Amino acid sequence: GAGVSQSPSNKVTEKGKDVELRCDPISGHTALYWYRQSLGQGLEFLIYFQGNSAPDKSGLPSDRFSAERTGGSVSTLTIQRTQQEDSAVYLCASSWDRGKYNEQFFGPGTRLTVL
Amino acid sequence: AQSVAQPEDQVNVAEGNPLTVKCTYSVSGNPYLFWYVQYPNRGLQFLLKYITGDNLVKGSYGFEAEFNKSQTSFHLKKPSALVSDSALYFCAVRPMDTGRRALTFGSGTRLQVQP
């Protein structure tokens, strides 16, 4: 079956512009996660959605970052007024996440470059 | 708060030799532990996980990891390395006993297998 997909694969933007990154999780997975992978920072958690529960936004670095998940499936991560330090690979993951803990499956990522 | 330490930025090993990639963790309560591998320009791929039960966990591609509670370690091992194992390896932890679902990752260890 299809894995987690993300679009675009690469995004180059100018400082101050807004960007939207999209994630399509594995069909039937109830949980969706966004992480950021940047040089010198490793992999850091951004936000987590589980079903209809309120999302865990504890990892968002500033109020310029937001995310939504429509219909319990597709998610969009929005970064407003991008800064150069936002340059990173943004990874999305999904999992079944019921009962015994199940591993997260990751997408290929979106490489964001802010000029 | 939880944390993961991967003390080696890079591990070099000759093909056919055993390999070990080290990981230690800190978490409140009992841990869920994971290893992921990342090939160039690819997302993270799940290798194996420790949930409960046997301390020796077997995973994909001949990898295994040993959970040691007293040493809070979860080292990744393989009896005979292949050149194709060369990649970036991440250890991750999540507390078993709280609602926080996001993974905390180590900084990664680059494995280089020489022919």
Side-chain angles (χ1 to χ4, degrees):
Chain A
V4 177
S5 60
Q6 293 185 245
S7 60
S9 55
N10 281 283
K11 176 71 177 179
V12 180
T13 190
E14 293 179 348
K15 178 181 173 181
K17 301 282 189 183
D18 297 353
V19 295
E20 286 188 350
L21 311 180
R22 177 187 167 103
C23 171
D24 281 273
I26 292 173
S27 178
H29 278 189
T30 57
L32 187 147
Y33 308 76
W34 283 98
Y35 294 86
R36 179 169 70 175
Q37 184 176 19
S38 50
L39 286 175
Q41 297 293 327
L43 269 157
E44 51 180 333
F45 162 72
L46 297 176
I47 188 168
Y48 159 65
F49 296 91
Q50 166 60 8
N52 295 321
S53 303
D56 176 357
K57 304 180 182 180
S58 60
L60 294 178
S62 78
D63 58 8
R64 296 186 296 104
F65 287 73
S66 63
E68 62 178 21
R69 187 178 185 193
T70 54
S73 181
V74 172
S75 177
T76 302
L77 177 69
T78 301
I79 309 173
Q80 296 178 309
R81 305 181 302 281
T82 52
Q83 304 294 312
Q84 288 182 332
E85 61 263 29
D86 299 335
S87 296
V89 176
Y90 289 81
L91 294 168
C92 176
S94 69
S95 69
W96 176 235
D97 217 23
R98 288 197 194 279
K100 202 168 187 179
Y101 184 79
N102 290 301
E103 60 272 20
Q104 298 174 24
F105 293 87
F106 283 79
T110 293
R111 182 175 297 277
L112 175 65
T113 303
V114 182
L115 300 176
Chain B
Q2 55 263 25
S3 65
V4 176
Q6 293 182 243
E8 303 152 317
D9 289 337
Q10 180 154 327
V11 170
N12 297 307
V13 64
E15 187 174 31
N17 282 1
L19 69 88
T20 299
V21 182
K22 295 180 181 176
C23 170
T24 58
Y25 67 91
S26 174
V27 70
S28 296
N30 295 309
Y32 289 135
L33 291 156
F34 304 82
W35 276 100
Y36 284 84
V37 60
Q38 186 176 37
Y39 297 99
N41 301 314
R42 302 276 296 276
L44 274 69
Q45 295 181 30
F46 169 77
L47 272 182
L48 52 78
K49 65 184 177 186
Y50 171 80
I51 302 298
T52 186
D54 287 342
N55 290 341
L56 184 64
V57 178
K58 294 188 183 295
S60 306
Y61 312 121
F63 284 93
E64 57 189 29
E66 185 164 13
F67 171 61
N68 187 317
K69 188 171 184 177
S70 64
Q71 297 186 1
T72 61
S73 68
F74 190 56
H75 301 330
L76 181 70
K77 300 182 179 185
K78 187 173 181 181
S80 178
L82 299 173
V83 173
S84 57
D85 293 330
S86 298
L88 188 57
Y89 290 80
F90 290 95
C91 181
V93 70
R94 199 211 102 180
M96 185 186 300
D97 306 316
T98 72
R100 182 177 171 89
R101 301 283 186 166
L103 296 176
T104 298
F105 286 87
S107 55
T109 298
R110 187 164 301 280
L111 174 66
Q112 192 69 41
V113 181
Q114 286 114 7

